[in-house]
Amino acid sequence: MLSYGFLKAVLNCFVQIILPYKLIGKEKVKDGACVLVGNHYRIWDIVHMACTTKEKVHFITKKELYKSKFLGHLCDIVEAIPVSRDGQDAKAVMTALRYLKKGEKISMFPEGTRNKTKDVELLPLKGGSALFAIKARVPVYPVMCLRKTRPFIRTKIIVGDPIDLSDFYDMRMTAEDYAAAEDRIRERMLATKHDYIAAQEAKKRAQKQKKGNP
């Protein structure tokens, strides 16, 4: 039977050939439980998250994938967590929390679907990532594509600093509190991209000034 490690290596090899990427900042992801979140353009985006760590990552995925025997089998190998599209799935929530409390990692695309728009940087978050992180008391790491991956053109994938939600841990959480936590996650997801781009632009300006003033 295929192992998680073998499957991860094969898929990563395939993706690096067809949709090449450079993963920047993966050293930020520490061992132990956490929630990985990212923007979502292609089904292969899951590989970016898996490669941030040597540990197993349990992916939250839509139940529809299990309609295909092949995809369902792959999901079983990686111990994915199937959820219904309406998000009302208590079993999936309990499964995710169980993994986190065992010190394992989960990942999800909080937009809820692939972003097929041309001008919307990040779709509204459907929720869930803040609930998992707060109830399990673990950090959230943003894993962001700078742009949609394209065949044979290398894309940068940026891992951001951990998002600390510890100020919510001891609260009696309301729907509004969870919404505020999700807003923080969304802001940090976008900031991960914007901060990296700004830093690169500043570096280029400094290099131009250096060349102009030998």
Side-chain angles (χ1 to χ4, degrees), residues 198 200-210:
Q200 293 302 107
E201 290 176 348
K203 184 177 179 180
K204 289 179 182 178
R205 288 194 298 269
Q207 289 174 341
K208 286 183 179 179
Q209 287 180 339
K210 187 175 181 180

Side-chain angles (χ1 to χ4, degrees), residues 61-68 71-72 82-86:
T61 188
K62 58 186 180 182
K63 282 183 177 179
E64 285 80 0
L65 289 183
Y66 286 81
K67 292 180 180 179
S68 162
L71 292 178
V83 297
S84 57
R85 280 196 176 275
D86 60 13

Side-chain angles (χ1 to χ4, degrees), residues 139-194:
V140 180
Y141 291 94
V143 183
M144 301 294 291
C145 298
L146 285 190
R147 55 174 171 75
K148 183 177 182 178
T149 50
R150 291 180 289 175
F152 312 114
I153 299 176
R154 190 173 300 279
T155 299
K156 290 181 179 178
I157 313 298
I158 313 301
V159 180
D161 294 325
I163 303 168
D164 181 9
L165 300 176
S166 60
D167 52 314
F168 291 99
Y169 289 173
D170 295 318
M171 293 176 57
R172 293 174 63 89
M173 295 292 289
T174 64
E176 290 76 17
D177 294 327
Y178 280 118
E182 290 290 348
D183 285 342
R184 186 183 302 178
I185 291 172
R186 178 183 171 82
E187 288 171 4
R188 292 310 308 161
M189 290 174 72
L190 290 170
T192 296
K193 288 182 61 178
H194 298 164

